Amino acid sequence: SQQGEEDPQALSIQEGENATMNCSYKTSINNLQWYRQNSGRGLVHLILIRSNEREKHSGRLRVTLDTSKKSSSLLITASRAADTASYFCATGPEADTGRRALTFGSGTRLQVQP
Amino acid sequence: NAGVTQTPKFRVLKTGQSMTLLCAQDMNHEYMYWYRQDPGMGLRLIHYSVGEGTTAKGEVPDGYNVSRLKKQNFLLGLESAAPSQTSVYFCASRDSGTGRSGELFFGEGSRLTVL
């Protein structure tokens, strides 16, 4: 079963606009990660936010985490055509619960129109 | 430093045939994983390994077997392929050290079609 679910499933914006993707999860977590997947390629790690953090920045990426609502959001500012990809949230692994693997959501497909 | 390498990248099988996917990593990672990715389903964990000589079942292990005879290699086998196993398979690895983020490093995927 999916631990994380992204929303929306697909998003189309113009270059220069901001893109926001949301992720909801079901169980308690120690951290949450976001990954990016270009078409036909493997996933690449973007950013990790720990359960005691509320917000984290990395370049044009901003991630928020609300553990009370079991949700996270990924904001890409000033989007570029090269940001076109699928974005996945993932939870785990967590040594204290024995979860040794990341569990992924179904992803948001982002299309940035030039 | 190649990271995670998967072979083959593409394969077409007939129902009932067998094959093995090879994953190799050069980062000395303890943990290795096999996921499958299907449209609209995200990634689902098939099997994983927490060290040389160990394997464990994931979310969708049926029809697959794995082996981790060497730390750097993780093999995924299909003994009798079925059309339902048509998918893109991803191998990933990560470090097991304390304080690590749990970041996964992925291969480029192996696209398998079973006719």
Side-chain angles (χ1 to χ4, degrees), chain B residues 23-44:
Chain B
C23 177
Q25 52 94 4
D26 60 4
M27 297 171 282
N28 201 36
H29 285 169
E30 287 291 335
Y31 292 0
M32 297 187 74
Y33 306 87
W34 277 107
Y35 288 90
R36 61 177 287 175
Q37 184 177 35
D38 302 292
M41 297 290 289
L43 278 80
R44 291 182 292 170

Side-chain angles (χ1 to χ4, degrees), chain A residues 44-56:
Chain A
V44 176
H45 180 262
L46 291 176
I47 195 168
L48 176 146
I49 186 165
R50 301 193 185 282
S51 59
N52 61 355
E53 298 175 309
R54 291 296 170 259
E55 187 171 311
K56 197 165 184 179

Side-chain angles (χ1 to χ4, degrees), chain A residues 50-68:
Chain A
R50 301 193 185 282
S51 59
N52 61 355
E53 298 175 309
R54 291 296 170 259
E55 187 171 311
K56 197 165 184 179
H57 296 256
S58 178
R60 292 184 296 111
L61 304 180
R62 172 180 164 241
V63 170
T64 63
L65 179 64
D66 187 335
T67 53
S68 66

Side-chain angles (χ1 to χ4, degrees), chain B residues 33-107:
Chain B
Y33 306 87
W34 277 107
Y35 288 90
R36 61 177 287 175
Q37 184 177 35
D38 302 292
M41 297 290 289
L43 278 80
R44 291 182 292 170
L45 181 66
I46 305 171
H47 287 281
Y48 65 98
S49 169
V50 300
E52 182 178 317
T54 75
T55 63
K57 294 180 179 180
E59 181 185 355
V60 288
D62 293 343
Y64 305 95
N65 56 76
V66 288
S67 64
R68 183 98 182 268
L69 298 180
K70 294 182 179 180
K71 185 177 183 179
Q72 63 268 33
N73 296 337
F74 195 29
L75 280 64
L76 177 70
L78 286 72
E79 290 187 348
S80 179
S84 61
Q85 294 177 304
T86 293
S87 187
V88 182
Y89 293 86
F90 286 98
C91 177
S93 71
R94 72 172 178 95
D95 184 48
S96 65
T98 57
R100 288 290 185 178
S101 68
E103 173 188 351
L104 287 186
F105 294 81
F106 281 84

